[in-house]
Each structure stands twice: as C-alpha cells, then as structure tokens.
Amino acid sequence: MKKITLILFSITALLTIGCEANLTDKDNLFSDQEALIEDLNSELELDRSQETIVRTRLHESRELHAHPGSLWKLAASLADILTEEQITKLLEGIKEGKFHDHGFNSFPDHEPKHKIHFEKKVEYLESLLDESQVETFNGIITDFNTRRETLETQWKNEEITFEVFKANIFALRLFMKASINNLLTDEQKELLEAKKEEMKSDKRHFGKHAKNPDRFKEEKIRALDLSEEQLEQFETLMTTFKTDMENLQLQYKEGNIDTDSFISSSVELMLTKKSNHQEILTEKQITIIQIHHALTVKAHKRYRYSTKG
C-alpha cells in the first residue's frame, strides 16, 4: 500500500511540475504577444475591429516567433484590414532593423539567426579548433565583422536599398559558413552540426518548429495563397539557385575566386533570385511578404531568446 501511495504521489508531482512549466511558458507567450499587439496598436492606431483581428490571429496560433504561422497569418490579415497609410507606416519600421534582425528572413528560412545564437556558435567553434586553425579562424571572424559593420553603416545612411542590404546579409553569412567549412575537419563539422541541433532545441518556441521546416513553407503558402503554377515556378528557380550557389562555393573552396568575388557573386545571385520571384508574385502577395518582414523585425525584439546556448 505504501508503494502504491508513493507511486501515485510521484506521478502527481511530475504532472504538477509539467503543468506549472506549461503555464509559465504560456504566460510568457501571451506576454510576448501582448507586447507585439501594443507595438502595432500605438504605431498604427488600430481601431477596435483591427485590434481584435490581430489578437485573434496571434492567439489562435499559440506562438510568437519570427518564423511560424502566427506571423504569416497575421501578415495576410493585416494586408486585408489595414489602410494604405497604415501599411506604409508599418513598412517604414523595417528601417529600424539591424543586420541580425533582417537575417531572420534570409535563406535558408528555417534556421535560427538571432545575434545571440550566432555568437554562441562562434564561441563553440573556438572550442573545437586546434592551434594551427586559430589564426585563420580569427581572420575569418575579423573580416566578417568588418564587412558587417560597413554594411550596417551603408544601410543606416541609406546608401543602399533594402534588397541590396538583405542580399549582402545572405552573402556575408555564406562567406563565413563556406570559409569555416573549408577550415574544419570532417570530425569538427559533425560536432558543429550536432551542437547546432542542440542549440535549436534549447530555444523557447523554436526547437519543436525547427524540427519541422516544412511547417514554415506550408504556412507561407497558405498565407500567400500561392497557386500550383507559382509553386512550380518557385521550385524551378530554387533548383537553379541552389546549383549556382553550390558551383560558386566549389570555386571558392578550390581557390579559383577570392573573397570579394565570392561575396559579390553571392549578392548578385540572391538579387536575381529575388527579382525573378517578384515577377511571379501578385502585388498583394508582395505586400504580405513585406508586412511579414516588418513583423519579424518587431517580433525579434520581443520574443525571449534563451541564453542556454
């Protein structure tokens, strides 16, 4: 009898702990959502009907993150309910974003790109290196940071367009990734990939979604109401883009092109891909994508990024 009582007590305790954790997580979630709603409300002066729709779209998804469907659904709804003046004001907020803020919507879509996540990856990489790799690695990081700072200054001073800024973000990330891949051994690469998966799983509201990247694609397709013809066109463009990027990275690895050429060529490929996408999309679909990006910049400042690693 004592054993049965002890077992029942243990089960009850575990369930209670689990419920408390879920409630805490839910409280944090709704706190994030309300903060985002308040941002939108104060900036756009939403009327009661608009605010109700915004709150409904966020709450029904039960999540707040720069990628999941809560923001794609919200973006689609905002495209329908906001006035032209409100949409213009919302899109102006994109200018507030910095390098890592805009990285959220750069290829590949499903990978986390928060500044803290980036810094933790760099920190872990340093722990993997042997003495012969350290100098080269430090040079890569210094080069990356110098180029990033120059790019951010150009963006801040409005010397470059938003699309050029985003294309360069993609190119600099790719430069760093390719340079480090060229430096690491196969064993170090395996350890890094395992660490990246662990880091994604530690992120509140990210781990479960990161394990299902197709979810992001599905939510985007629904929000944009993409046709089968559009999807086929996008698939063809993506196949060509990936092939071109792989060839470019191979040239860089084999030393046939230098860093400047690699980065500038990456930028051109991304801009070409973006331009081709624009030709396929309708004006409304383009507006939804722009609104979604403006929302990610805001959400980026609101959701609580874990500091576990």
Side-chain angles (χ1 to χ4, degrees):
M1 186 64 182
K2 287 183 178 180
K3 288 184 178 180
I4 293 175
T5 302
L6 181 59
I7 291 172
L8 289 173
F9 177 80
S10 300
I11 292 173
T12 302
L14 287 171
L15 290 174
T16 301
I17 292 170
C19 289
E20 288 177 351
N22 288 334
L23 286 172
T24 300
D25 206 31
K26 186 178 292 187
D27 287 343
N28 289 335
L29 164 62
F30 282 107
S31 174
D32 284 345
Q33 289 183 339
E34 289 301 321
L36 178 58
I37 292 168
E38 181 56 35
D39 281 351
L40 293 172
N41 209 346
S42 61
E43 181 179 312
L44 306 179
E45 297 180 351
L46 301 176
D47 61 35
R48 183 170 297 180
S49 173
Q50 290 174 326
E51 184 179 344
T52 298
I53 291 173
V54 168
R55 182 170 279 102
T56 299
R57 290 294 174 269
L58 286 173
H59 286 187
E60 69 187 8
S61 294
R62 300 178 183 178
E63 62 195 3
L64 173 64
H65 189 274
H67 291 304
S70 58
L71 295 183
W72 275 116
K73 293 174 185 175
L74 179 56
S77 293
L78 290 178
D80 287 331
I81 67 175
L82 295 182
T83 65
E84 289 186 13
E85 183 181 357
Q86 286 175 314
I87 290 176
T88 299
K89 191 175 292 185
L90 176 60
L91 297 186
E92 286 176 353
I94 289 175
K95 296 177 183 178
E96 299 173 7
K98 297 182 180 180
F99 183 92
H100 291 283
D101 298 316
H102 293 298
F104 264 116
N105 285 325
S106 62
F107 179 84
D109 292 336
H110 63 278
E111 290 188 1
K113 299 177 178 72
H114 196 287
K115 179 181 179 182
I116 298 175
H117 182 92
F118 176 82
E119 291 171 347
K120 291 291 183 180
K121 272 200 302 186
V122 171
E123 184 179 319
Y124 181 71
L125 274 166
E126 290 175 333
S127 71
L128 291 178
L129 303 176
D130 59 38
E131 291 183 5
S132 64
Q133 297 170 309
V134 172
E135 184 176 351
T136 301
F137 178 77
N138 288 340
I140 294 170
I141 299 301
T142 299
D143 195 2
F144 173 86
N145 285 331
T146 299
R147 293 174 186 272
R148 175 183 56 76
E149 289 167 5
T150 299
L151 182 64
E152 286 190 318
T153 299
Q154 291 175 325
W155 169 240
K156 182 179 179 181
N157 295 338
E158 299 183 357
E159 297 172 17
I160 54 176
T161 66
F162 173 61
E163 296 305 337
V164 169
F165 183 43
K166 278 199 67 179
N168 272 276
I169 291 173
F170 164 77
L172 287 187
R173 287 181 174 277
L174 189 66
F175 146 67
M176 183 170 172
K177 182 177 181 179
S179 299
I180 290 173
N181 277 341
N182 293 344
L183 176 65
L184 300 180
T185 64
D186 289 341
E187 182 181 0
Q188 288 171 327
K189 290 176 186 176
E190 289 178 7
L191 290 171
L192 177 60
E193 287 304 311
K195 181 63 175 179
K196 283 165 63 178
E197 289 303 312
E198 176 190 328
M199 289 168 69
K200 285 192 290 187
S201 297
D202 277 344
K203 304 296 158 279
R204 188 174 74 80
H205 297 316
F206 196 98
K208 62 182 179 180
H209 303 311
K211 293 173 184 176
N212 182 21
D214 288 339
R215 158 116 186 248
F216 305 138
K217 185 177 179 180
E218 291 166 3
E219 295 291 358
K220 183 175 182 178
I221 290 171
R222 277 197 286 269
L224 296 175
D225 193 22
L226 295 173
S227 67
E228 288 298 324
E229 182 181 0
Q230 286 178 311
L231 289 172
E232 289 174 5
Q233 290 174 308
F234 284 137
E235 191 65 33
T236 300
L237 287 177
M238 182 55 73
T239 299
T240 301
F241 175 73
K242 287 182 176 179
T243 299
D244 290 342
M245 286 308 313
E246 287 170 1
N247 290 336
L248 185 62
Q249 289 180 78
L250 182 60
Q251 291 182 57
Y252 185 55
K253 181 178 181 180
E254 294 179 346
N256 296 326
I257 56 175
D258 60 18
T259 298
D260 288 335
S261 298
F262 177 69
I263 291 174
S264 62
S265 296
S266 299
V267 169
E268 288 303 314
L269 285 175
M270 180 56 78
L271 288 174
T272 299
K273 172 174 170 285
K274 182 69 176 181
S275 176
N276 290 334
H277 278 190
Q278 298 281 76
E279 293 179 5
I280 296 171
L281 295 164
T282 66
E283 287 187 17
K284 181 176 181 180
Q285 288 169 332
I286 292 172
T287 298
I288 292 172
I289 291 172
Q290 292 173 332
I291 290 174
H292 179 265
H293 189 77
L295 291 173
T296 66
V297 172
K298 291 185 179 299
H300 189 191
K301 298 174 182 177
R302 288 299 184 184
Y303 92 97
R304 296 173 179 80
Y305 191 86
S306 167
T307 56
K308 292 180 180 178

